């Protein structure tokens, strides 16, 4: 046994051997030589025999050592393996009299010793904060962490397959942007020394993806990391994964249908079924998703009708309704923001079954076309599942004059103290002037939907390395 070898030529994985030797009888031994590698999870000694449970990416496999085979020195080397050591072993495949598939070891090598104490084998890591800070240990000792990581891999792969099957092409857009646009959110700001300018970590890739529509790419998507300088909670992480896609010559109704199919496809990739359990409810995602207006959603949840107050522009009536419902509002907010706050505080968490809330006030939706039937609304729909916003969907605004007006309204809101309001983007307006086709677009919260699919209670469970407060 030597310290830190350069490589080990593995010839088999645990799962492969379990599948290949299903019919091997207890007490039987083959002549098939294999070389396996992984981490030693447990060690046991019984006089002249000893055992190691070896874990590799596919599962666990028992290593079986006999002094009669290894000799005194070889047995001492085998017994010298510690819990947590990464090892390689050679030997023949056998099944013990107790029925455990094993490798009867002829040689074992420590490839990298574990120099820290591993978590106690029966309970693993019980401190939640430590699990997030030391995700590597969580993955070693916690099968649930492994399950969620594999679910994430399956989900990302299925998203790419789905989008490519629908004719979309994957693109990349800048993470560092001169203007934080494409969403209403507070950005992170940094400084580029060579150019002596401030840049922002993107809050969304939207305005760059739309530039590609202008350039003639008719179906584009980006699986992207976006950043928002906001609070941390079970539902929010400053750095998150989002799918954003745009399709020319369609509107929000087509995009809603696309997103609905995407949810079903990713559910099957993660769980093997379109059935979803949320709390005590079982939801069949193959059923058509509900579609309601924001007014209908509020009335169904609270019994209060807001539509006439909105149509009449009844400011005192709408603010009074918010107060009656116990919704905290800022006196500086416009009526659109007040209405959305009523929806978010009193309705959103009640929408457990997949539901498209269709139509948002123009005040909070600066990048979508005017609604064709509701005054001062846009054709923005939000898909909610389990009380979480999963995907905003839009008929994309492509009128440069109207877009300029919306940017000006956002600038006024920012000047009045709304630091989440969108910054005007003159370069994007210039691009729009060359003509962008009518289009439908969407954002898709990968982390949130994965949390729902896996039953995770927090985004920190599905993000491998979540943002955490420093220990000191």
């Amino acid at each position: 046994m030597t310290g830190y070898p350069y490589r080990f030529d593995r010839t088999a994985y645990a799962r492969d051997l379990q599948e290949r030797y299903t019919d091997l009888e207890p007490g039987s031994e083959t002549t098939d030589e294999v070389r396996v590698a992984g981490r030693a999870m447990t060690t046991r000694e019984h006089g002249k025999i000893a055992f190691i449970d070896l874990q590799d990416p596919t599962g666990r496999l028992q290593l079986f050592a006999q002094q009669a085979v290894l000799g005194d020195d070889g047995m001492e080397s085998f017994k010298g393996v510690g819990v947590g050591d990464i090892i390689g072993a050679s030997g023949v495949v056998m099944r013990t009299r107790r029925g455990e598939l094993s490798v009867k070891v002829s040689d074992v090598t420590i490839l990298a010793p574990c120099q820290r104490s591993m978590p106690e084998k029966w309970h693993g890591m019980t401190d939640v904060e430590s699990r997030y800070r030391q995700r590597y240990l969580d993955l070693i000792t916690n099968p649930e962490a492994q399950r969620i990581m594999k679910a994430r891999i399956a989900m990302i792969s299925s998203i790419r397959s789905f989008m490519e099957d629908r004719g979309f092409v994957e693109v990349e857009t800048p993470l560092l942007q001169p203007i934080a646009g494409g969403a209403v959110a507070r950005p992170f700001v940094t400084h580029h020394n060579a150019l002596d300018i401030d840049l922002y970590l993107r809050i969304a890739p939207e305005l760059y993806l739309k530039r590609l529509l202008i350039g003639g790419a008719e179906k584009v998507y980006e699986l992207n990391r976006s950043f928002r300088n906001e609070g941390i909670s079970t539902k929010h992480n400053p750095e998150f994964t989002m799918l954003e896609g745009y399709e020319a010559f369609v509107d929000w109704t087509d995009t809603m249908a696309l997103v609905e199919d995407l949810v079903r496809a990713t559910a099957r990739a993660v769980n093997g079924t379109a059935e979803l359990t949320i709390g005590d409810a079982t939801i069949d995602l193959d059923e058509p998703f509900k579609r309601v207006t924001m007014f209908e959603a509020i009335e169904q949840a609270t019994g209060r009708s807001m539509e006439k107050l909105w149509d009449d522009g009844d400011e005192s009536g709408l603010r009074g309704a918010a107060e009656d419902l116990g919704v905290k509002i800022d006196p500086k907010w416009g009526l659109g923001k007040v209405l959305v706050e009523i929806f978010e505080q009193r309705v959103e968490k009640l929408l457990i079954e997949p539901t498209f809330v269709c139509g948002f006030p123009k005040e909070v939706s600066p990048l979508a076309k005017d609604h064709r039937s509701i005054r001062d609304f846009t054709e923005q729909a939000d898909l909610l599942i389990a009380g979480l916003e999963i995907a905003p969907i839009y008929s994309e605004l492509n009128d440069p004059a109207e877009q300029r007006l919306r940017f000006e309204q956002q600038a006024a809101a920012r000047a009045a103290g709304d630091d989440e309001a969108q910054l005007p983007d003159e370069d994007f307006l210039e691009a729009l002037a060359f003509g962008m086709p009518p289009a439908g677009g969407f954002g898709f919260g990968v982390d949130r939907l994965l949390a729902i699919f896996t039953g995770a209670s927090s985004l920190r469970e599905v993000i491998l390395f979540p943002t955490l407060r420093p220990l000191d």
Side-chain angles (χ1 to χ4, degrees):
M1 300 174 70
T2 59
Y4 301 101
Y6 281 86
R7 60 178 292 159
F8 183 86
D9 294 322
R10 174 163 50 191
T11 64
Y13 288 87
R15 184 191 300 149
D16 298 336
L17 296 177
Q18 298 286 359
E19 293 173 353
R20 195 185 315 166
Y21 295 96
T22 301
D23 298 330
L24 188 62
E25 294 291 328
S28 300
E29 182 176 317
T30 73
T31 58
D32 301 339
E33 288 269 355
V34 295
R35 291 168 61 82
V36 295
R39 190 179 292 272
M41 299 305 294
T42 64
T43 62
R44 305 179 301 284
E45 298 180 28
H46 300 285
K48 295 185 178 182
I49 61 173
F51 304 89
I52 293 173
D53 285 332
L54 182 79
Q55 179 171 292
D56 70 20
T58 69
R60 289 200 183 189
L61 182 69
Q62 180 172 270
L63 304 183
F64 171 61
Q66 288 180 306
Q67 190 157 355
V69 174
L70 295 179
D72 292 343
D73 291 343
M75 199 64 175
E76 280 303 307
S77 294
F78 189 89
K79 290 180 179 180
V81 173
V83 172
D85 288 352
I86 296 174
I87 61 174
S90 305
V92 296
V93 179
M94 62 168 290
R95 193 176 293 277
T96 65
R97 287 194 296 272
R98 293 188 176 183
E100 185 74 24
L101 188 71
S102 305
V103 173
K104 186 177 180 180
V105 172
S106 57
D107 179 71
V108 66
T109 301
I110 294 179
L111 305 173
C114 178
Q115 299 181 6
R116 299 287 185 270
S117 296
M118 294 286 286
E120 195 270 322
K121 68 177 179 179
W122 297 113
H123 300 102
M125 298 184 74
T126 55
D127 180 71
V128 174
E129 186 82 1
S130 295
R131 286 180 47 232
Y132 301 148
R133 291 189 186 280
Q134 294 179 287
R135 182 67 85 187
Y136 47 91
L137 284 183
D138 190 31
L139 290 167
I140 292 169
T141 61
N142 182 3
E144 180 66 5
Q146 280 279 349
R147 180 184 76 87
I148 290 176
M149 183 179 74
K150 290 173 182 176
R152 187 179 189 95
I153 292 167
M155 185 170 185
I156 295 296
S157 178
S158 71
I159 286 171
R160 286 196 163 99
S161 295
F162 177 92
M163 297 300 286
E164 288 165 11
D165 287 347
R166 296 299 182 101
F168 285 78
V169 294
E170 185 174 9
V171 297
E172 294 177 318
T173 62
L175 274 84
L176 287 174
Q177 301 180 353
I179 293 174
V184 178
R186 183 184 297 115
F188 288 94
V189 61
T190 187
H191 190 78
H192 189 282
N193 290 332
L195 296 178
D196 194 24
I197 58 170
D198 284 344
L199 293 170
Y200 300 90
L201 283 175
R202 71 173 169 209
I203 56 176
E206 176 168 343
L207 300 186
Y208 285 91
L209 291 172
K210 286 181 175 179
R211 286 171 169 89
L212 296 177
L213 290 184
I214 295 164
E218 294 186 356
K219 289 185 175 184
V220 294
Y221 79 95
E222 183 172 9
L223 259 170
N224 65 90
R225 305 291 285 184
S226 288
F227 307 84
R228 298 183 184 177
N229 195 358
E230 297 166 352
I232 299 174
S233 72
T234 58
K235 300 176 183 179
H236 299 89
N237 194 71
E239 177 182 3
F240 59 97
T241 301
M242 180 167 59
L243 166 68
E244 199 154 313
Y246 294 85
E247 181 177 1
F249 307 112
V250 304
D251 67 8
W252 67 335
T253 58
D254 304 282
T255 307
M256 278 189 265
L258 178 81
V259 169
E260 195 167 331
D261 287 343
L262 177 58
V263 171
R264 294 183 184 116
T266 53
R268 284 192 168 89
V270 171
N271 294 325
T273 177
E275 272 202 353
L276 186 61
T277 301
I278 300 174
D280 297 329
T282 299
I283 294 166
D284 184 356
L285 294 173
D286 281 333
E287 293 291 323
F289 292 4
K290 292 181 178 179
R291 299 190 184 195
V292 297
T293 67
M294 183 175 288
F295 298 120
E296 290 168 341
I298 292 173
E299 187 166 2
Q300 290 168 12
T302 68
R304 298 289 295 268
S305 175
M306 304 290 167
E307 190 165 8
K308 189 173 188 309
L309 295 174
W310 180 266
D311 287 341
D312 293 344
D314 186 347
E315 183 169 343
S316 61
L318 198 60
R319 293 184 185 277
E323 187 175 335
D324 292 344
L325 292 169
V327 174
K328 295 180 180 179
I329 59 173
D330 190 314
K332 297 193 294 291
W333 288 348
L335 292 190
K337 175 67 172 169
V338 171
L339 186 68
V340 169
E341 203 67 24
I342 292 172
F343 170 74
E344 290 182 349
Q345 290 190 35
R346 293 301 308 273
V347 183
E348 203 170 68
K349 64 179 179 291
L350 304 176
L351 298 176
I352 305 303
E353 295 184 25
T355 303
F356 288 110
V357 177
C358 303
F360 271 68
K362 192 183 298 188
E363 179 185 340
V364 299
S365 184
L367 297 165
K369 281 183 177 289
D370 284 4
H371 199 286
R372 280 168 266 194
S373 59
I374 304 177
R375 181 184 62 80
D376 288 335
F377 260 50
T378 67
E379 289 191 347
Q380 173 184 341
D382 272 14
L383 173 62
L384 288 103
I385 304 176
L388 292 174
E389 181 196 4
I390 300 300
I393 293 150
Y394 310 90
S395 291
E396 298 297 342
L397 181 56
N398 60 342
D399 177 345
E402 174 65 15
Q403 186 62 81
R404 179 177 292 280
L405 177 62
R406 301 277 191 90
F407 280 157
E408 289 170 353
Q409 291 167 343
Q410 289 285 299
R414 192 175 186 86
D418 183 356
D419 56 3
E420 292 187 354
Q422 191 142 242
L423 294 164
D425 189 332
E426 288 294 334
D427 183 75
F428 175 66
L429 291 171
E430 174 68 13
L432 267 188
F434 284 89
M436 186 181 92
F442 70 95
F444 187 88
V446 173
D447 305 318
R448 284 187 176 182
L449 192 59
L450 181 60
I452 293 170
F453 286 164
T454 58
S457 59
S458 169
L459 288 190
R460 295 182 185 186
E461 296 290 347
V462 301
I463 296 173
L464 285 173
F465 300 100
T467 304
L468 300 169
R469 187 185 301 275
L471 283 173
D472 51 356

